[in-house]
């Protein structure tokens, strides 16, 4: 048998199968295609799909000659051929095997079968095979099919998890920006993958104050997105529970430290903004935000007040306060902005960021954020981003000029 040709035929068959709405439908489509297309090469004349249950496996569907198999038939987990399939991935046996239940297989019309376990033993395909097919050829061929099946199921499960994570991430991003006093606020994020490890949030605190957070989880993709979800929940629980700002961050740090995720390091900036311009903040190892002073046209940085969240359960975080004056602009960034590179490997960097913010300092927060992100994309010359990119701009609008009162009308003569 030409196994290389067989593998190519299997791959072409699987690639031709349209993606289904769920994993089970995909498995059914694959099984039907195998029975339909490989009857001659593998001697497969029918088959049955079993799905794992608490007590064993339940017959889900039959294919080919076994189309009329009794759907819903339960096979106990202790059935020896199934146990061997789970342990070894596949098994080939017939009625001469003393561990085979002749009555059960008789109900199914089976004399010789090969069982293939895949999808972390959640699924089991039992193929009816012709007695003349050599066992060695059949096992090798089914090993190829099992590998492709397993890969397809795992891929679809992973894609499903990623899509679920993306929906969760989209659901936790704020639907609006704070409307408090003279603050002008805007935020924008662009993940490097379908889901990202960047996160921002706005928390209403009172009619005259709000909280703002920006976080950057180590790495990006699915694991980083799951970690971001924990940050969102933990931060809101701490702040919503009326914990003081430092206690809330220290509690969140302990939660992340106990996380079972392999990547669990997060930088976080969280600040609380009052109507009079006072800002109280904690910076847990995050990229220092840039504060543009409108009066002096100079920049200040809001430095770290503690280490990144996650590594140490006993980490202590300080807090600082600063005043935002009318016209001042605070820009919160993640590393994906400053570390974006051009074709020559040069980083966008803080200097270019400052130039853009300084030039647009009198413009609305939305224009500043969108212009900065556009400049980063232009700098990267269309290269796919290597990291997630997030920008939050918080600007105190300058007071509107008071127009002089109109002169009184001349007296009527």
């Amino acid at each position: 048998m030409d196994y290389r040709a067989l593998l190519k035929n299997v791959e072409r068959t699987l690639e031709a199968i349209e993606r289904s709405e769920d994993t089970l439908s995909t498995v059914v489509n694959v099984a039907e295609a195998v029975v339909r297309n490989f009857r001659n090469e593998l001697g497969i004349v029918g088959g049955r799909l079993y799905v794992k249950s608490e007590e064993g496996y339940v017959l889900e569907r039959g294919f080919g000659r076994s189309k009329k198999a009794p759907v819903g038939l339960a096979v106990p987990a202790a059935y020896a051929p199934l146990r061997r399939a789970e342990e070894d991935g596949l098994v080939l046996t017939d009625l001469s095997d003393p561990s085979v239940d002749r009555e059960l297989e008789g109900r199914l019309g089976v004399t010789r079968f090969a069982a293939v376990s895949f999808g972390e033993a959640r699924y089991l395909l039992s193929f009816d095979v012709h007695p003349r097919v050599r066992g060695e050829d059949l096992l090798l061929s089914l090993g190829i099919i099992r590998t492709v099946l397993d890969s397809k199921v795992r891929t679809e499960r992973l894609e499903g998890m990623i899509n679920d994570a993306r929906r969760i991430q989209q659901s936790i991003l704020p639907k609006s920006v704070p409307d408090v006093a003279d603050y002008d606020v805007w935020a924008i994020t662009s993940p490097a993958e379908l889901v990202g490890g960047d996160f921002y949030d706005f928390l209403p605190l009172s009619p005259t104050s709000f909280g703002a957070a920006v976080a950057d989880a180590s790495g990006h993709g699915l694991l980083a997105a799951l970690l971001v979800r924990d940050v969102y929940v933990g931060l809101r629980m701490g702040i919503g529970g009326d914990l003081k700002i430092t206690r809330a961050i220290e509690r969140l740090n302990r939660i992340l430290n106990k996380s079972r995720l392999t990547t669990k390091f997060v930088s976080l900036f969280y600040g609380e903004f009052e109507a009079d311009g006072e800002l109280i903040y904690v910076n847990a190892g995050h990229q220092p935000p840039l504060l543009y002073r409108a009066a002096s046209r100079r920049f200040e940085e809001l430095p770290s007040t503690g280490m990144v969240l996650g590594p140490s359960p006993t980490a202590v975080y300080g807090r600082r306060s600063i005043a935002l004056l009318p016209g001042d602009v605070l820009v919160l960034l993640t590393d994906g902005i400053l570390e974006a590179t051009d074709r020559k490997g040069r980083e966008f960097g803080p200097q270019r960021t400052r130039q853009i913010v300084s030039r647009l300092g009198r413009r609305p927060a939305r224009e500043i954020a969108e212009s900065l992100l556009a400049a980063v994309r232009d700098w990267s010359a269309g290269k796919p981003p290597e990291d997630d990119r997030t920008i939050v701009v918080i600007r105190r609008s300058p007071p509107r000029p008071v127009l002089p009162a109109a002169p009184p009308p001349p007296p009527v003569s």
Side-chain angles (χ1 to χ4, degrees), residues 270-291:
Y270 174 73
E272 297 184 346
F273 298 78
E274 298 291 339
D276 61 3
E278 182 184 19
L279 164 61
I280 300 174
Y281 71 89
V282 172
N283 185 348
H286 194 75
Q287 175 68 41
L290 297 175
L291 176 57

Side-chain angles (χ1 to χ4, degrees), residues 254-297:
R254 291 191 295 272
I255 292 174
L256 296 181
N257 178 261
K258 294 178 181 179
S259 171
R260 295 183 178 180
L261 295 175
T262 55
T263 173
K264 56 181 181 181
F265 305 148
V266 183
S267 67
L268 169 73
F269 177 91
Y270 174 73
E272 297 184 346
F273 298 78
E274 298 291 339
D276 61 3
E278 182 184 19
L279 164 61
I280 300 174
Y281 71 89
V282 172
N283 185 348
H286 194 75
Q287 175 68 41
L290 297 175
L291 176 57
Y292 174 68
R293 295 295 192 182
S296 64
R297 296 188 177 182

Side-chain angles (χ1 to χ4, degrees), residues 272-347:
E272 297 184 346
F273 298 78
E274 298 291 339
D276 61 3
E278 182 184 19
L279 164 61
I280 300 174
Y281 71 89
V282 172
N283 185 348
H286 194 75
Q287 175 68 41
L290 297 175
L291 176 57
Y292 174 68
R293 295 295 192 182
S296 64
R297 296 188 177 182
R298 295 181 179 275
F299 283 89
E300 300 175 15
E301 291 188 352
L302 278 53
S304 175
T305 63
M307 67 184 298
V308 294
L309 303 174
S312 172
T314 59
V316 176
Y317 297 88
R319 71 170 193 167
R320 294 190 180 183
S321 65
I322 196 170
L324 271 64
L325 305 177
D328 289 352
V329 181
L330 181 66
V331 182
L332 314 177
L333 305 166
T334 57
D335 291 341
I337 297 295
L338 302 179
E339 296 176 0
T341 57
D342 65 3
R343 294 293 182 184
K344 297 181 180 179
R346 297 175 299 179
E347 292 187 348

Side-chain angles (χ1 to χ4, degrees), residues 23-38:
T23 300
L24 183 60
S25 298
T26 297
V27 173
V28 169
N29 289 341
V30 171
E32 288 179 336
V34 170
V35 172
R36 181 175 62 249
N37 297 343
F38 295 95

